[in-house]
Amino acid sequence: MAKSISIFLSLGAGVSLMLAAPAMATSTEQTQFFDAIAAHCGQAFEGKVTAGNSADSAFSGKRLVMHVRECSESELKVPFHVGEDRSRTWVITKTDTGLRLKHDHRHQDGSEDKVTMYGGDTLDAGSAELQSFPVDAYSIDNFKQNGLSQSITNVWHVGITDTQFIYRLTRENRDFKVTFDLTQPVELPPAPWGHE
């Protein structure tokens, strides 16, 4: 009897320890990916559209600049400037299950756009150079509420190498990609709207 109680207590302690352990965090590949972007903190880079169609006409003829502006151990904020439009900031966050990409969209007065903080979470470890973010439930609801049903199958991809940073959006009949040159830092842009 004493032996069975002892075994039970040992098992109970083990179960408690297992319950207290955190969920899976970012993979080695995701940490390397996150750190590769963070290594450019405080720098800005110019890019160009390298894939797109008529749906992407808002980007035509505009100067495209990304700025790795805010970096912490768990979050990166990367404003994406399209000409004079400073409404977009990509937010990459470490979570208990991997990485999350969100799009913080603001109006010029700093207020949030009704379509904002959309994005998704990684579903696998990805690689040190590429992570993919399928659309999440919050974003699907937001898109439907705002008449953007074509966006409910969005998958965003972010890539980084020694020489390039790539932002890509794919879904049926859409493949939009901007490629930034990491070898040539440019002058820092103004603060994004709402983050002054």
Side-chain angles (χ1 to χ4, degrees), residues 94-178:
K94 292 180 180 178
T95 70
D96 288 342
T97 58
L99 295 174
R100 174 172 295 143
L101 171 68
K102 289 289 184 171
H103 299 71
D104 182 346
H105 277 227
R106 305 289 181 105
H107 295 289
Q108 196 162 358
D109 66 2
S111 62
E112 289 190 348
D113 193 280
K114 60 186 177 180
V115 180
T116 191
M117 297 314 286
Y118 59 86
D121 293 87
T122 54
L123 297 181
D124 57 37
S127 75
E129 293 190 344
L130 180 66
Q131 295 290 327
S132 296
F133 305 87
V135 66
D136 60 23
Y138 165 84
S139 306
I140 291 171
D141 289 345
N142 184 278
F143 290 148
K144 286 180 176 177
Q145 289 168 15
N146 290 287
L148 298 171
S149 57
Q150 73 275 14
S151 298
I152 64 171
T153 58
N154 280 4
V155 180
W156 296 274
H157 314 269
V158 179
I160 187 163
T161 68
D162 290 340
T163 60
Q164 294 182 330
F165 178 93
I166 296 167
Y167 170 87
R168 185 177 182 195
L169 163 64
T170 59
R171 64 171 181 253
E172 188 174 356
N173 300 317
R174 182 96 189 268
D175 186 352
F176 171 70
K177 181 166 68 171
V178 183

Side-chain angles (χ1 to χ4, degrees), residues 58-70:
F59 298 88
S60 299
K62 305 273 179 64
R63 185 168 186 246
L64 308 178
V65 175
M66 62 162 279
H67 177 194
V68 187
R69 186 169 187 263
E70 294 181 44

Side-chain angles (χ1 to χ4, degrees), residues 46-47 49 57-66 79-88 180 189-193:
E46 193 164 348
V49 175
S57 58
F59 298 88
S60 299
K62 305 273 179 64
R63 185 168 186 246
L64 308 178
V65 175
M66 62 162 279
F80 173 40
H81 302 268
V82 180
E84 299 302 311
D85 183 341
R86 296 185 272 136
S87 64
R88 303 167 178 86
F180 298 87
W193 298 335

